[in-house]
Amino acid sequence: MAEPTLVVGGVDIYKGWLDGDAQATLVEDLRAVVSQAPLFSPQTPYGKPMSVRMTSAGKYGWYSDRRGYRYEARHPQGQPWPPIPPSVLAIWAALVGPQRMPDCCLINYYKPDARMGMHQDRDEADFGWPVLSVSLGDDALFRIGGVARGGATSSVWLGSGDVVVMGGAARLCYHGIDRIRPGTSALLQGEGRINLTCRVVD
Ligand code: MD3
Ligand code: FE
């Protein structure tokens, strides 16, 4: 398996894993997903809309409303989620392995003022599988802490084409996105950032 460029808080970061052509192909494939499964703003269990807009591909999509955080087999409009594009699965196969493909590819879209508060990813059944994340578009300030809320954190800027793999002890670390830096990438039409997170759910 490939060696990460750097390891921050136990998370493996592959800087520039995707070249410009690969990034452009991904964006095209994701636009096709979004045309079938439009972006929406999930409500938190506390009733506030999230600032990040989302949709998913795969067997399950991540969803949230007043009833809580969970995975759903259908988009809120009722249709099944589109399949995960082969361009995304290829990244998973290269960095996680080909034995088991992810059940969900969550697509997060950040406008310049969007952020994601510190949280754990714990809605999946088996934390033995890593989460893989792909950054596209503007740079984002990523923050990672420990497995308990509060305590020391480390920050790192993620740029377009960077891939992050969270496995082992890091799988349950608190993490979030403090802010994005608009205008740092020309990949997308206008400002913003896309993040993909691939997860095994069942
Ligand atoms: C560290 N997304 O969708 S990806 C999320 O950039 C999420 O949109 C952020 O956190 C984003 O849940 C961060 C990097 C990431 C994803 C999952 C992790 C880091 C992680 C799980 C455990 C530890
Ligand atoms: Fe997360």
Side-chain angles (χ1 to χ4, degrees), residues 2-18 91 95 130-135 140-145 154-167 170 175-177 193 195:
E3 291 299 323
T5 320
L6 71 155
V7 181
V8 177
V11 164
D12 293 341
I13 303 182
Y14 299 84
K15 297 294 290 180
W17 179 258
L18 302 168
I91 304 167
L95 290 177
V131 176
L132 179 147
S133 142
V134 179
S135 294
L141 187 56
F142 173 68
R143 186 141 60 102
I144 177 139
S154 310
S155 292
V156 61
W157 284 95
L158 296 179
S160 197
D162 293 353
V163 177
V164 182
V165 178
M166 292 67 60
H175 60 277
I177 296 291
R193 170 178 185 258
N195 179 267

Side-chain angles (χ1 to χ4, degrees), residues 11 54 106 108 110 116 119 121 131 133 135 142 144 158 164 166 170-177 193 195-197 199:
V11 164
M54 300 179 181
L106 173 64
N108 292 149
Y110 295 75
M116 188 174 286
H119 66 279
D121 288 15
V131 176
S133 142
S135 294
F142 173 68
I144 177 139
L158 296 179
V164 182
M166 292 67 60
R171 177 65 178 77
L172 286 171
C173 285
Y174 276 84
H175 60 277
I177 296 291
R193 170 178 185 258
N195 179 267
L196 309 179
T197 47
R199 303 111 185 273

